Amino acid sequence: MKERCYGTTKPEYPNYGGRGIRVCERWRLRHGEGFRNFLADMGPRPIGKTLDRINPQGHYEPTNCRWADWKVQRENQGRVIWVHVEPPPVEDVAAMEARIQKEMAELMPF
C-alpha cells in the first residue's frame, strides 16, 4: 500500500501514487501507531483476502478500504467500472484528511 503510493521507483507507482492516490495520515503515523490504527480500522487480514479500495479512484483510508477476494477485486478495477465513462477525479488529499477527521470524531465522540 505505502510502496504503491510513495515508492516512486516501484513499477506500481504510476497507477497509484502517480495518479495522486495516497494513504491517509492515520495509517502513516510513525513508531507503529499507524499500523495499530490500520489494524483497529480494518482488523486482521482474513485468509484468502487482500486489501481492496472500494472506489478505485479513492485513497487508502478507513471508509474506502475492505478485505476482498480476487474475484471482487477483479470486478472492482477502474477499467471494468468506468468502461464507457471517464472516471471521477481523485479526491484532494487535504479534503480526504478533513473528511476522515470528521468521520472519526463522529464515531468516537469522547
Side-chain angles (χ1 to χ4, degrees):
M1 169 177 71
K2 288 181 180 179
E3 286 186 358
R4 286 178 168 184
C5 294
Y6 303 105
T8 57
T9 61
K10 301 294 180 182
E12 303 90 355
Y13 178 81
N15 294 320
Y16 295 88
R19 292 192 306 118
I21 304 296
R22 298 291 182 260
V23 178
C24 69
E25 183 179 347
R26 177 176 167 75
W27 291 355
R28 287 190 337 250
L29 294 174
R30 295 182 182 266
H31 309 296
E33 189 175 348
F35 185 66
R36 285 190 293 276
N37 288 340
F38 174 83
L39 281 178
D41 294 339
M42 297 299 300
R45 177 182 161 194
I47 295 171
K49 298 189 177 188
T50 57
L51 192 62
D52 180 50
R53 285 174 298 126
I54 297 164
N55 173 2
Q57 288 291 100
H59 301 285
Y60 286 98
E61 48 146 315
T63 60
N64 192 45
C65 288
R66 63 184 171 191
W67 296 112
D69 62 28
W70 66 270
K71 184 175 186 252
V72 169
Q73 289 198 26
R74 187 181 68 225
E75 294 169 354
N76 192 41
Q77 295 176 359
R79 66 177 179 253
V80 174
I81 296 173
W82 296 293
V83 173
H84 302 292
V85 296
E86 190 69 26
V90 174
E91 181 181 27
D92 177 72
V93 174
M96 172 198 55
E97 294 296 351
R99 181 176 45 74
I100 291 171
Q101 205 167 40
K102 181 178 182 262
E103 290 167 355
M104 295 309 273
E106 289 170 359
L107 289 173
M108 296 181 258
F110 45 88

